Amino acid sequence: MKIAIATKDFSAVSGHAGQTRQWLVYDLSEHRANRLLPAPQRVDLDQDQVLHVFADNAPHPLDGIDLVVCASAGDGFIRHMKKRGAEVLLTGESDPAIAITRILAGEALPDPRFDITTSLCKLRDLFSRH
C-alpha cells in the first residue's frame, strides 16, 4: 500500500490537495507492524503536475497511490483520485508523522477543521472536468 500525504513544505498536512505541490509518499508494501516506518519519499510536483490541472495523459509521480491524506479537498479532486485508484481521507491532524502512525494503528483521525475555501472549491467543482 502507498499513502501520499499532501503537505506544506513537507512539514504539515496541507489542505487544497488539488493544488498541493509537496507530498510525502509512504511505500508500505514491505512494512511490518513491529518495524519502524520507512522514511517517506519527498515528491515535489512541477506546476503542470499539480493534480488540479494534470490532464491524466502521461505518467505522474503519484501514480500507484492507494490513499491520499489531506486537510481539505473538493469533490472534483476526490472524484479525480477515485478514477486514479486512490481513496481520499480528510483530517484535522496537522502532523504527517502522527497521521500516518494513527492510520496504521487503525485509529480515527481528527475531523478536518472548517475551511471557507473548501466551500468555494465545492462551488468550483460543480463545473470541474473531473
Side-chain angles (χ1 to χ4, degrees):
M1 170 183 262
K2 285 187 178 182
I3 300 175
I5 302 179
T7 70
K8 294 179 210 169
D9 300 321
F10 301 108
S11 62
V13 177
S14 174
H16 299 286
Q19 299 290 341
T20 298
R21 292 186 62 189
Q22 287 102 18
W23 294 80
L24 293 175
V25 176
Y26 289 86
D27 184 349
L28 303 173
S29 56
E30 304 282 325
H31 179 66
R32 301 294 174 256
N34 58 349
R35 293 187 186 163
L36 292 175
L37 279 174
Q41 174 189 2
R42 289 181 171 210
V43 176
D44 197 354
L45 300 178
D46 293 333
Q47 188 61 39
D48 63 339
Q49 294 173 319
V50 170
L51 289 162
H52 186 75
V53 298
F54 187 68
D56 288 332
N57 58 355
H60 189 274
L62 296 178
D63 283 347
I65 296 300
D66 299 294
L67 180 67
V68 172
V69 178
C70 54
S72 67
D75 293 337
F77 177 81
I78 293 170
R79 285 190 305 271
H80 186 195
M81 294 313 297
K82 187 138 188 113
K83 288 178 190 173
R84 295 181 63 77
E87 295 296 320
V88 177
L89 177 63
L90 302 178
T91 183
E93 178 57 61
S94 60
D95 186 320
I98 292 173
I100 191 78
T101 301
R102 291 183 75 176
I103 290 168
L104 293 177
E107 297 175 12
L109 292 172
D111 290 333
R113 296 178 192 97
F114 175 75
D115 181 357
I116 188 65
T117 57
T118 300
S119 298
L120 297 173
C121 284
K122 286 182 184 280
L123 178 64
R124 184 178 179 182
D125 284 345
L126 291 174
F127 307 100
S128 173
R129 63 185 167 84
H130 301 292

